[in-house]
């Protein structure tokens, strides 16, 4: 089977390729990635000589490259996107191009090449923001209400994917997952930023009052969920994938990280809030649990410990990433080095 993975040099995409080749060694994987600031082939160095893996450097908005790599593809797993909310506030147009236009180019090519499955990776952020006080959760039937340019561009891509199913019969599935964490995550996102700052003895910037709530999903659990959807998911369906069943706010997450690393709460620095910051995300993932038999392998704290260990043991990886462009971004976003 030939699988085209888009954005396979990013955080989740590279974890997915490593997972897939380990669990389905007979399949062929083609990784199409533009190598933006977030793409890093170091993530895949352990499999770069695997004869069942190949890398194509290209943009999903570029029809000629997409048509070329799509030829003979059985399954598309589409991760490629601009993925960071704060960057979407600074520069929304990159998000519309990659996430909306890029997805449409892929859908067209998948249709033309009669792929058997097109799986689109989306986010819980398309559903908007929940109140801290109420205990409601997002599910597959929740109305869309995206509130950041990032979320709006992902919502646009989800609508296009569904439109290609309804209008042209393209065999699609969609998953809307919560915040991922784990190895190879770019340290602009909250958990890897916190861990790597603390390993450098730098404070952790916490937006606003720190009482914002996210659902946290370990990346390997996410890869297992995608595998099940590809194997047993129903065409045209959406699956919500989350990791938790109880709320945890950002301050509580940081306090867990500080405790594991043996650091004090003086390492927390409250900084200016994100504009339009969504208060709470919580996900009801009972559909994938009941229909496909998926659930996370371990609890949040256990996965967090494993993640912290990985960043401790792979300092060269993140120290390399934290050079150059990252330094400029950090200064612009946080006003400090
Ligand atoms: P990432 O930013 O780490 O990686 C994105 C990858 O896509 C990079 O390798 C980048 O080079 C590539 N890319 C970007 N634009 C491209 C283009 N035009 N053409 C080809 N490649 C391009 O992102 P991630 O965290 O791995 O997220 C992967 C997917 O999962 C995204 O679609 C994101 O919206 C979704 N998602 C992420 C999270 C999360 O917590 N990280 C949660 C929910 C959904
Ligand atoms: O420096 C920070 N300080 C801080 O308090 C950063 C980077 C974040 N935060 C807060 C904002 C959020 O409440 O931590 C929480 C998580 O922030 P991010 O890691 O930026 O993730 P989020 O905005 O929740 O979006 C993420 O989850 C859904 C991913 O970036 C998206 O790609 C995904 O779709």
């Amino acid at each position: 089977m030939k699988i085209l993975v888009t954005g396979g040099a990013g955080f989740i995409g590279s974890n997915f390729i490593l997972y897939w080749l380990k669990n389905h060694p007979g399949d062929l994987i083609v990784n199409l990635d533009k190598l933006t600031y977030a793409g890093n082939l170091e993530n895949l160095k352990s499999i770069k000589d695997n004869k069942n893996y190949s890398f194509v450097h290209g943009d999903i908005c570029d029809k000629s490259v997409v048509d070329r790599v799509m030829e003979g593809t059985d399954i598309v797993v589409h991760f490629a996107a601009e993925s960071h909310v704060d960057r979407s506030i600074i520069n929304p147009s990159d998000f519309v191009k990659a996430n909306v236009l890029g997805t449409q180019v892929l859908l067209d090519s998948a249709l033309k090449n009669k792929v058997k499955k097109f799986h689109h990776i989306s986010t819980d952020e398309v559903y908007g923001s929940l109140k801290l006080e109420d205990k409601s959760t997002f599910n597959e039937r929740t109305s869309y209400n995206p509130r950041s340019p990032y979320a709006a561009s992902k919502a646009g891509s989800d609508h296009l994917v569904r439109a290609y199913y309804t209008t042209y019969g393209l065999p699609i599935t969609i998953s809307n997952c919560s915040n991922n964490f784990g190895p190879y995550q770019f340290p602009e996102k909250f958990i890897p930023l916190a861990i790597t700052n603390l390993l450098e003895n730098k404070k952790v910037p916490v937006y606003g009052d720190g009482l914002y709530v996210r659902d946290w999903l370990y990346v390997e659990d996410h890869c297992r969920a995608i595998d099940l959807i590809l194997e047993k998911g129903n065409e045209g369906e959406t699956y919500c994938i989350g990791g938790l069943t109880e709320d945890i706010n950002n301050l509580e997450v940081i306090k867990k990280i500080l405790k594991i690393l043996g650091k004090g709460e003086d390492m927390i620095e409250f900084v200016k809030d994100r504009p339009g910051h969504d208060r709470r995300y919580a996900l009801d993932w009972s559909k994938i649990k009941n229909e496909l038999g998926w659930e996370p392998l371990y609890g949040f704290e256990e996965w967090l410990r494993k993640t912290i260990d990985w960043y401790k043991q792979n300092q060269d990886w993140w120290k390399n990433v934290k050079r150059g462009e990252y330094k400029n971004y950090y200064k612009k976003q946080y006003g400090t080095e």
Side-chain angles (χ1 to χ4, degrees):
M1 190 147 58
K2 176 181 165 185
I3 303 177
L4 172 63
V5 174
T6 70
F11 161 50
I12 308 175
S14 59
N15 274 283
F16 178 78
I17 292 176
L18 296 172
Y19 166 91
W20 197 270
L21 287 173
K22 193 165 149 201
N23 291 283
H24 306 273
D27 288 342
L28 300 180
I29 296 250
V30 176
N31 171 15
L32 173 64
D33 198 295
K34 185 179 173 184
L35 298 182
T36 66
Y37 77 91
N40 188 349
L41 291 177
E42 278 293 298
N43 307 4
L44 296 162
K45 70 169 188 247
S46 63
I47 50 113
K48 77 176 187 344
D49 297 324
N50 184 322
K51 61 179 179 8
N52 285 352
Y53 166 75
S54 59
F55 172 66
V56 178
H57 187 194
D59 189 332
I60 55 167
C61 298
D62 180 345
K63 194 172 161 320
S64 60
V65 178
V66 168
D67 280 344
R68 179 161 58 83
V69 296
M70 194 68 76
E71 232 179 80
T73 293
D74 299 293
I75 296 179
V76 177
V77 186
H78 175 32
F79 296 94
E82 289 293 339
S83 71
H84 193 42
V85 173
D86 293 320
R87 291 188 194 249
S88 82
I89 295 169
I90 299 169
N91 183 7
S93 79
D94 281 355
F95 285 69
V96 175
K97 274 186 217 131
N99 301 0
V100 183
L101 296 177
T103 299
Q104 192 266 330
V105 170
L106 284 169
L107 288 165
D108 255 357
S109 186
L111 191 63
K112 206 162 64 191
N113 285 280
K114 299 188 171 51
V115 304
K116 298 185 186 81
K117 265 180 204 159
F118 186 105
H119 183 69
H120 176 60
I121 308 294
S122 191
T123 170
D124 58 0
E125 302 208 22
V126 298
Y127 299 123
S129 180
L130 298 166
K131 291 198 170 63
L132 276 189
E133 310 78 70
D134 75 41
K135 288 287 127 203
S136 61
T137 50
F138 301 134
N139 63 43
E140 292 81 2
R141 293 171 308 285
T142 305
S143 301
Y144 275 37
N145 182 24
R147 293 160 29 94
S148 71
Y150 164 72
S153 67
K154 290 298 288 186
S157 67
D158 293 12
H159 292 321
L160 277 168
V161 173
R162 286 198 187 92
Y164 270 68
Y165 170 68
T166 311
T167 311
Y168 308 111
L170 184 72
I172 64 100
T173 41
I174 298 181
S175 47
N176 292 81
C177 67
S178 56
N179 288 51
N180 283 225
F181 66 105
Y184 301 115
Q185 185 166 29
F186 196 85
E188 65 190 350
K189 306 288 195 311
F190 188 50
I191 287 184
L193 184 144
I195 298 170
T196 58
N197 271 18
L198 290 169
L199 291 174
E200 292 176 305
N201 228 10
K202 276 168 61 174
K203 293 193 177 194
V204 179
V206 170
Y207 294 159
D209 58 10
L211 302 181
Y212 295 87
V213 170
R214 297 293 182 264
D215 180 286
W216 294 100
L217 171 65
Y218 188 66
V219 65
E220 188 185 314
D221 283 331
H222 185 191
C223 295
R224 289 173 39 250
I226 300 167
D227 192 350
L228 272 178
I229 295 170
L230 293 175
E231 189 199 340
K232 300 200 278 189
N234 289 323
E235 208 174 285
E237 292 280 317
T238 295
Y239 297 88
C240 283
I241 314 170
L244 307 180
T245 47
E246 272 174 31
D247 281 9
I248 177 164
N249 69 40
N250 293 342
L251 271 180
E252 290 166 326
V253 170
I254 280 306
K255 286 181 188 168
K256 280 187 191 295
I257 296 174
L258 287 168
K259 196 162 165 217
I260 295 168
L261 285 172
K263 305 251 181 197
E265 289 179 20
D266 56 317
M267 295 305 278
I268 296 174
E269 183 167 29
F270 289 96
V271 300
K272 189 159 68 65
D273 210 347
R274 171 187 284 174
H277 196 169
D278 288 338
R279 197 51 154 166
R280 172 173 173 262
Y281 302 149
L283 216 55
D284 169 1
W285 41 273
S286 54
K287 176 177 171 178
I288 189 163
K289 183 170 188 230
N290 297 335
E291 289 186 14
L292 305 186
W294 175 88
E295 60 184 346
L297 276 184
Y298 301 107
F300 179 60
E301 192 138 341
E302 184 136 4
W303 280 136
L304 191 60
R305 279 180 194 280
K306 280 189 197 297
T307 302
I308 292 172
D309 276 349
W310 188 88
Y311 283 88
K312 272 182 170 169
Q313 282 157 22
N314 290 276
Q315 305 221 5
D316 285 352
W317 181 88
W318 58 263
K319 283 185 176 153
N320 244 334
V321 168
K322 279 189 143 183
R323 295 202 179 102
E325 191 273 348
Y326 183 86
K327 280 189 185 300
N328 302 336
Y329 166 75
Y330 199 92
K331 184 110 207 290
K332 191 167 179 184
Q333 180 64 20
Y334 299 99
T336 51
E337 299 276 313

